């Protein structure tokens, strides 16, 4: 169905750690339910950065947003449930390697200082001991292994070159500062799971990932979305999801979020201050990029979906709590539908130009019941409507599996 479209459709997913991934999952389920005439497993090009790369890799492999929700939020997919604690395993290999370097570094520092102790400061000579500090606290090798196993079952692939659709996972070359789009020619030999690991290696949290003798870190260091990668591939409709926005306590309403008093981030300590700083930096940079896309690709429609800046639920969520994960995904689902309702007059003609329509019936039914792995949780929808959506999702998964298994011609 989607392969007959005249215009290419793309998806670009930004990073944001576990928190961002959970929000993006809920948002993607809402978009899949609300957009008629397209399937998120049949887009022409996918771009993922950091945690967004995990979801982009899943979509490109034929996993629907609801499949991904079942794995990462519900944890009810047999043999494929994700435990977020896998991200909290200490980087023991990095600790040992750095610790083993201390004696040699200490000897070098002493030799440097004793060579001319009067002109070379003590601290200047011994600053090289900083090389013994680990480059990451946690080890994301376990997550890479989980993803490799996830993509190794029949109907999926860990090889960019075997995909039916274009997939790009962007990481940053640590030594050059250049953005590297794994999946592009010359970079498509790297396993998808390894590319995801590199793209999501947030400096300080995870050690850089070595690939072909180079070291790579989080792709968000250079850009937030890297949407230009999809636009250069010819995408004329690009759906972007950015889960991290700076928080504005002045926009928080008690009746919406249940907060009984005005929120002050300074009272929340350093984590809240650092989170706000990081969000502000990446969001302002993304706004500059979105303006540039409009001027450089005037024939393309770039649609951005993100939380409201007064969204306290999104800012303060505990992503390692099972209940919080489910609540946040549901929250993202409802807020994305509300965003579509609010912007429907603007979006309707844009989507129509690409053969996509809004499900007006869905948007008019208010808040939804919790997301489940089965049919979309819509109140008061006719049974035939729910059955049609279930059938569409099943056919999408079957079509993706057949295309992956089909012999090359």
């Amino acid at each position: 169905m989607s392969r007959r479209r005249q215009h290419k459709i793309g998806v670009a997913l930004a990073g944001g750690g576990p928190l961002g991934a959970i929000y993006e999952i809920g948002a993607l389920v809402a978009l899949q339910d609300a957009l008629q005439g397209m399937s998120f497993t049949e887009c022409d090009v996918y771009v993922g950065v950091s945690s967004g790369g995990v979801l982009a890799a899943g979509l490109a492999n034929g996993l629907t947003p609801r499949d991904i929700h079942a794995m990462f939020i519900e944890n009810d997919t047999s043999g494929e449930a994700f435990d977020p604690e896998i991200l909290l395993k200490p980087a023991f290999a990095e600790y040992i390697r750095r610790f083993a370097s201390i004696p040699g570094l200490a000897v070098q520092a002493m030799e440097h200082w004793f060579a001319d102790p009067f002109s070379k400061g003590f601290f200047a000579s011994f600053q090289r001991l900083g090389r013994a500090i680990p480059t990451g606290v946690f080890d994301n090798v376990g997550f890479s292994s989980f993803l490799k196993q996830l993509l190794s079952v029949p109907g999926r692939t860990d090889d960019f070159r075997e995909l039916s659709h274009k997939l790009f996972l962007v990481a940053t070359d640590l030594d050059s500062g250049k953005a590297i789009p794994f999946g592009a020619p010359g970079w498509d030999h790297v396993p998808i799971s390894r590319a995801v690991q590199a793209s999501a290696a947030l400096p300080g949290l995870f050690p850089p990932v070595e690939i072909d003798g180079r070291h790579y870190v989080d792709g968000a260091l250079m850009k937030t979305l890297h949407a230009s990668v999809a636009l250069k591939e010819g995408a004329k409709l690009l759906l972007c999801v950015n889960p991290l926005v700076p928080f504005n306590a002045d926009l928080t309403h008690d009746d919406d979020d249940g907060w009984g008093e005005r929120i002050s981030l300074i009272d929340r300590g350093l984590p809240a201050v650092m989170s706000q700083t990081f969000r502000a930096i990446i969001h302002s940079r993304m706004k500059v990029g979105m303006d540039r896309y409009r001027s450089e690709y005037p024939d393309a429609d770039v649609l951005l979906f993100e939380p409201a800046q007064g969204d306290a639920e999104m800012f303060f969520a505990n992503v390692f709590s099972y209940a919080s994960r489910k609540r946040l995904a549901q929250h993202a689902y409802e807020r994305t539908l509300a965003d579509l309702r609010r912007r429907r007059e603007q979006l309707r003609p844009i989507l129509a130009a690409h053969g996509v329509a809004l499900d007006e019936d869905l948007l008019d039914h208010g808040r939804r019941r919790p997301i489940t792995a089965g049919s979309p949780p819509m109140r008061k929808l006719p049974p035939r409507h729910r059955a049609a959506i279930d059938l569409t999702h099943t056919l999408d998964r079957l079509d993706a599996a057949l295309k992956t298994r089909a012999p090359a011609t």
Side-chain angles (χ1 to χ4, degrees):
M1 175 180 70
S2 58
R3 308 309 298 173
R4 299 175 183 174
R5 287 190 307 264
Q6 183 178 0
H7 296 168
K8 287 186 177 181
I9 295 180
V11 175
L13 303 175
L19 176 69
I22 293 168
Y23 190 91
E24 286 182 314
I25 290 171
L28 287 170
V29 175
L31 291 172
Q32 181 67 89
D33 288 353
L35 300 182
Q36 299 177 326
M38 69 163 287
S39 166
F40 274 81
T41 62
E42 285 294 319
C43 294
D44 300 275
V45 56
Y46 301 88
V47 178
V49 182
S50 192
S51 59
V54 180
L55 310 184
L59 294 174
N61 264 280
L63 293 172
T64 70
R66 287 185 178 278
D67 291 334
I68 297 174
H69 181 274
M71 293 178 187
F72 290 90
I73 308 299
E74 295 288 343
N75 285 3
D76 64 356
T77 303
S78 177
E80 297 180 331
F82 171 69
D83 182 0
E85 290 190 2
I86 196 175
L87 299 172
L88 298 178
K89 294 183 177 180
F92 289 119
E94 174 70 2
Y95 297 166
I96 294 172
R97 187 172 72 88
R98 295 289 172 172
F99 182 78
S101 70
I102 292 178
L105 292 173
V107 171
Q108 294 176 23
M110 293 176 65
E111 291 176 346
H112 183 268
W113 185 59
F114 283 121
D116 190 357
F118 296 104
S119 63
K120 299 176 181 178
F122 178 84
F123 289 105
S125 297
F126 280 82
Q127 68 180 0
R128 67 187 60 205
L129 287 175
R131 302 176 187 177
I133 300 175
T135 56
V137 177
F138 302 112
D139 192 349
N140 60 1
V141 173
F143 180 75
S144 178
S145 299
F146 166 81
L147 192 60
K148 181 177 181 179
Q149 181 181 3
L150 183 68
L151 300 181
S152 298
V153 302
R156 304 173 197 160
T157 180
D158 197 28
D159 191 328
F160 285 101
R161 297 163 295 188
E162 295 179 0
L163 291 170
S164 301
H165 318 284
K166 291 286 187 178
L167 170 65
F168 301 96
L169 302 171
V170 185
T172 302
D173 186 312
L174 182 62
D175 291 324
S176 69
K178 294 181 179 179
I180 303 300
F182 290 105
W187 302 101
D188 54 1
H189 66 286
V190 178
I192 294 173
S193 55
R194 186 70 169 173
V196 169
Q197 181 187 0
S199 180
L202 183 64
L205 193 63
F206 300 110
V209 177
E210 183 178 358
I211 298 176
D212 296 339
R214 306 286 293 187
H215 290 86
Y216 298 90
V217 294
D218 199 309
L221 264 65
M222 302 306 298
K223 294 181 182 179
T224 304
L225 271 170
H226 289 278
S228 59
V229 175
L231 295 171
K232 289 177 182 178
E233 283 293 313
K236 298 304 180 184
L237 174 63
L238 184 61
L239 304 177
C240 305
V241 182
N242 170 51
L244 297 186
V245 298
F247 179 64
N248 187 342
D250 294 333
L251 300 179
T252 301
H253 302 291
D254 292 346
D255 57 341
D256 287 343
D257 298 289
W259 297 89
E261 58 184 12
R262 185 184 181 280
I263 299 170
S264 174
L265 294 185
I266 194 66
D267 294 336
R268 306 277 171 156
L270 181 61
V273 173
M274 294 301 296
S275 177
Q276 179 76 326
T277 302
F278 177 72
R279 289 163 178 259
I281 291 174
I282 65 172
H283 196 256
S284 62
R285 186 177 59 186
M286 188 196 65
K287 290 174 64 178
V288 173
M290 295 296 288
D291 291 337
R292 187 173 66 251
Y293 299 149
R294 280 189 283 269
S295 61
E296 293 182 359
Y297 303 93
D299 58 339
D301 293 309
V302 182
L303 302 180
L304 176 64
F305 298 91
E306 58 184 9
Q309 291 194 3
D311 195 335
E313 178 76 14
M314 177 61 182
F315 192 86
F316 295 104
N318 175 11
V319 298
F320 292 100
S321 162
Y322 174 69
S324 293
R325 276 184 283 152
K326 292 188 68 175
R327 185 173 65 250
L328 180 58
Q330 176 67 24
H331 175 77
Y333 179 84
E334 294 172 358
R335 291 303 174 93
T336 303
L337 290 182
D339 188 28
L340 289 170
R341 279 193 294 272
R342 179 178 59 83
R343 299 163 58 189
R344 74 166 81 188
E345 296 301 325
Q346 170 200 357
L347 296 177
R348 190 181 290 120
I350 295 175
L351 295 171
H354 303 278
V356 181
L358 289 170
D359 187 333
E360 306 284 356
D361 192 28
L362 170 60
L363 296 184
D364 288 333
H365 277 79
R367 295 175 66 86
R368 303 298 184 256
R369 295 192 297 270
I371 305 172
T372 64
S375 60
M378 309 170 196
R379 285 182 180 168
K380 301 180 181 178
L381 287 183
R384 63 180 182 278
H385 194 149
R386 293 196 299 269
I389 294 177
D390 284 344
L391 178 60
T392 299
H393 292 164
T394 301
L395 291 176
D396 285 342
R397 290 193 292 270
L398 177 61
D399 184 58
L402 291 175
K403 286 186 177 181
T404 306
R405 295 180 184 180
T409 56

